Amino acid sequence: MKIDHLGIATGGIQEALKFWEDALGLESVHVEEVEDQKVRVAMLPLGESRIELLEPLSDDSPISNFLEKRGGGIHHIAVQVEDINASLAKLKQAGMKLIDEEPRVGAEGCLVAFVHPKSANGVLLELVQKI
Ligand code: ZN
C-alpha cells in the first residue's frame, strides 16, 4: 500500500494555489469536478503521492460542512489498494464502520470508498483502486 493523496479542504482552489503552486512550487496537473461528491478537485503531485485540493460545488457538499465546522485543513487520507472489494470485505468483517459499502467512481475514474472516522482514530480514510 502507499498513500495515494492527502485531501485538503479549501474555500477555493484558485486562492489555495497561491500557496501550493506559486509559493511552494508544486504544480497542479489535473482539475476535475466530481459531481457525485459535489466537489472540484485539483491534483498536485508530490513525490510518490499527491496533494488533492478540494473545493465545494454547493452548500450541501460534504466539504462545505467541513469548512463550516473546521475552516479548512486536512479532510482525508487516501490509501491506494490493489483490490478495493477485498479491502472493504476485510474491514467489514473486522467490524469497521464504512461510509461506502460498495466502491464508487471518484476523481480520475478510480474506484473509491470511504471508511468512517469512528473506525480510523478520527481520520476519514479513502481507499483508492486505480483502474
Ligand atoms: Zn480524495
Side-chain angles (χ1 to χ4, degrees):
M1 282 201 241
K2 68 171 195 174
I3 293 181
D4 186 79
H5 62 264
L6 298 176
I8 298 179
T10 75
I13 286 172
Q14 275 319 315
E15 186 67 22
L17 285 176
K18 286 181 188 165
F19 173 75
W20 296 97
E21 225 174 26
D22 301 347
L24 191 62
L26 300 184
E27 190 189 353
S28 168
V29 295
H30 179 79
V31 178
E32 179 185 352
E33 291 187 2
V34 184
E35 296 288 344
D36 184 47
Q37 290 166 53
K38 297 173 182 156
V39 292
R40 179 178 294 119
V41 307
M43 288 291 189
L44 296 85
L46 177 56
E48 277 203 324
S49 187
R50 279 106 40 97
I51 298 289
E52 178 187 63
L53 299 177
L54 300 150
E55 169 190 320
L57 289 176
S58 64
D59 288 345
D60 61 344
S61 163
I63 298 302
S64 298
N65 246 334
F66 185 89
L67 289 171
E68 235 164 71
K69 280 189 202 146
R70 313 236 198 131
I74 292 186
H75 178 258
H76 63 272
I77 295 176
V79 173
Q80 203 181 109
V81 297
E82 291 285 319
D83 181 343
I84 196 167
N85 283 302
S87 296
L88 284 172
K90 199 171 170 186
L91 287 164
K92 203 172 171 184
Q93 200 173 27
M96 299 305 162
K97 196 172 175 192
L98 305 175
I99 292 174
D100 301 305
E101 302 250 331
E102 299 288 331
R104 49 190 165 129
V105 178
E108 301 171 310
C110 294
L111 290 178
V112 305
F114 284 92
V115 179
H116 200 282
K118 276 194 176 137
S119 288
N121 306 99
V123 174
L124 177 61
L125 190 74
E126 180 182 13
L127 304 178
V128 180
Q129 181 187 332
K130 301 281 178 194
I131 299 299

